Amino acid sequence: MAFKYIWCCCMFLCYFVYGNSEDLTTHPGHLKPIGSHGEILNVESMDYFPDPGVFFTNFVHGSKPLVVRGGAKISPAYSLWTDEYLGNFEEGKKEIVVVEQAKKENRTLSPEEVPFTEFVQRYRNEDIYLVNDLPEFLSKDVFLPPSLLCQDVVDYLLAKLMWFSNGGTKSVLHYDSAENINCLFAGAKKLYLIDPNKYSDKVTIENVKSAYSDVDVERVDFVKYPGLAKVEYHYVEMQPGDCLYIPYGWYGDDIAISCSYTCGLRCGLAEVYWRSLCGLSVV
C-alpha cells in the first residue's frame, strides 16, 4: 500500500510539473513580431484635445492612453516641416544632434553626433535615425497641446524631443518614467502598448537603469519571455497630424511605417502638483 501511495504521488507530481505546463514553442505568436498574438485592444480616440480637467481625471490619473486624431495640426510644424524647410536653417549647420545607428534600435551601439543639417541631407539614404532634443530654432513650430495649458505646467516639462527617420525603425520594448505626448507631423507609425498596472509581472526588463527589455521585438521568444504570451496589447496606428498620450510607466514598442517627423513632450509633473496647477481638487 505504501509503495502504491508513493507511486500515485509521484505520478501526480509529474503531471503537475510537466503535463500541466504549456508548450510555448507551439504558441501562434512564438518567434513572431510583438503584438502578433493575443487580445488586441484599440487605444481610445478623440477628435480634439480634452480640457485639462478631463484629460487629467480620465487619462493621467486613470493611466489610460489616448490618441487625438488631428491634434498635431494646431502646430505650424504640420504644414511647414519638409526636408527642404528643415535643411535651410543657418542654425542647423551648427546645431549638433545625436544620430542613432541601425533603424532597429540597438542601445549597445554608440550614436554619432553630427550637425542637424547634415543629418537632414543623409537620413533618407542611410540606416540611421534621429532622437534628440528639439532644437531651439524649431521650437516656434511646435505648440503645447491644449490639454496641458494649465498655470505653470510648462515649467515642469522634462524635455521636448524629436524623432526623424525614413521609415522602418523599430524601438526596443521599453517604458518612460514620465508622461508622454507624441505628435506626428509626417509619415505613419504603429505602436503596441502594455499596461503596467495589469502586467508588470509579465514583462521582463533586464536593463532596469535604462528601462528596456532585451527581447527581440521582431522574433519574440516565448520560452525566454513567457509573460509576453499572456498580455493584452493596446494598439494604435498614427497618421500625419495625430497625437498620442502614453501614460507614465506604460511599456511600448513603436514602429515607423514610413518617413516620419515626430515630436514628443515629456512631463515630470507629480500627480499632486498637476492637480493643483490645473485647479483640480487635491485628494
Side-chain angles (χ1 to χ4, degrees):
M1 283 293 292
F3 174 78
K4 186 175 181 180
Y5 174 77
I6 294 172
W7 182 82
C8 288
C9 288
C10 288
M11 289 297 293
F12 174 78
L13 181 61
C14 287
Y15 171 78
F16 182 79
V17 174
Y18 299 105
N20 199 38
S21 63
E22 182 181 0
D23 181 6
L24 292 175
T25 62
T26 65
H27 192 289
H30 180 57
L31 299 182
K32 292 184 179 179
I34 200 165
S36 298
H37 73 286
E39 186 172 359
I40 303 295
L41 307 174
N42 290 324
V43 171
E44 183 170 339
S45 173
M46 298 180 71
D47 294 326
Y48 57 89
F49 278 106
D51 68 58
V54 171
F55 178 66
F56 172 81
T57 302
N58 293 354
F59 300 100
V60 179
H61 180 64
S63 187
K64 185 178 179 182
L66 171 70
V67 59
V68 180
R69 301 296 183 188
K73 294 181 180 180
I74 65 172
S75 290
Y78 174 73
S79 57
L80 290 177
W81 282 12
T82 63
D83 287 357
E84 181 180 7
Y85 174 84
L86 294 167
N88 277 339
F89 284 89
E90 195 64 29
E91 298 95 325
K93 298 176 182 178
K94 300 177 182 178
E95 181 81 20
I96 302 300
V97 295
V98 177
V99 175
E100 303 289 342
Q101 308 297 312
K103 289 187 292 182
K104 181 179 179 181
E105 186 178 10
N106 183 343
R107 297 193 181 184
T108 65
L109 297 178
S110 298
E112 181 183 2
E113 294 186 352
V114 302
F116 177 72
T117 301
E118 180 182 329
F119 169 78
V120 174
Q121 294 169 344
R122 291 171 48 191
Y123 83 102
R124 285 188 181 267
N125 301 311
E126 297 184 32
D127 190 22
I128 58 175
Y129 66 98
L130 174 69
V131 180
N132 197 83
D133 288 341
L134 180 67
E136 186 62 34
F137 61 86
L138 292 176
S139 291
K140 67 183 187 307
D141 293 342
V142 181
F143 291 171
L144 196 66
S147 297
L148 301 185
L149 293 180
C150 297
Q151 175 190 353
D152 298 329
V153 164
V154 68
D155 294 336
Y156 291 87
L157 292 178
L158 295 178
K160 291 185 287 185
L161 299 175
M162 62 192 307
W163 294 267
F164 279 25
S165 84
N166 64 8
T169 57
K170 299 176 179 67
S171 76
V172 293
L173 182 63
H174 66 285
Y175 69 89
D176 292 316
S177 298
E179 312 288 349
N180 280 272
I181 296 182
N182 295 338
C183 292
L184 184 64
F185 299 123
K189 299 180 76 172
K190 60 181 181 180
L191 297 94
Y192 293 94
L193 306 173
I194 302 172
D195 185 351
N197 303 294
K198 293 180 66 175
Y199 298 115
S200 62
D201 62 330
K202 304 296 184 186
V203 180
T204 302
I205 300 292
E206 295 95 338
N207 306 281
V208 177
K209 187 175 181 180
S210 299
Y212 71 94
S213 172
D214 288 334
V215 63
D216 185 341
V217 295
E218 291 186 301
R219 286 173 55 85
V220 179
D221 186 340
F222 285 156
V223 175
K224 187 174 181 181
Y225 298 94
L228 293 180
K230 311 293 184 183
V231 303
E232 299 169 324
Y233 292 95
H234 295 250
Y235 175 76
V236 62
E237 188 165 319
M238 297 178 69
Q239 299 298 327
D242 291 344
C243 290
L244 174 66
Y245 165 65
I246 304 175
Y248 174 98
W250 274 58
Y251 306 107
D253 169 52
D254 58 271
I255 302 165
I257 301 171
S258 59
C259 180
S260 61
Y261 306 145
T262 309
C263 275
L265 300 172
R266 289 184 177 173
C267 184
L269 196 59
E271 182 174 313
V272 64
Y273 295 115
W274 195 312
R275 286 180 177 272
S276 176
L277 292 174
C278 291
L280 304 168
S281 59
V282 179
V283 295

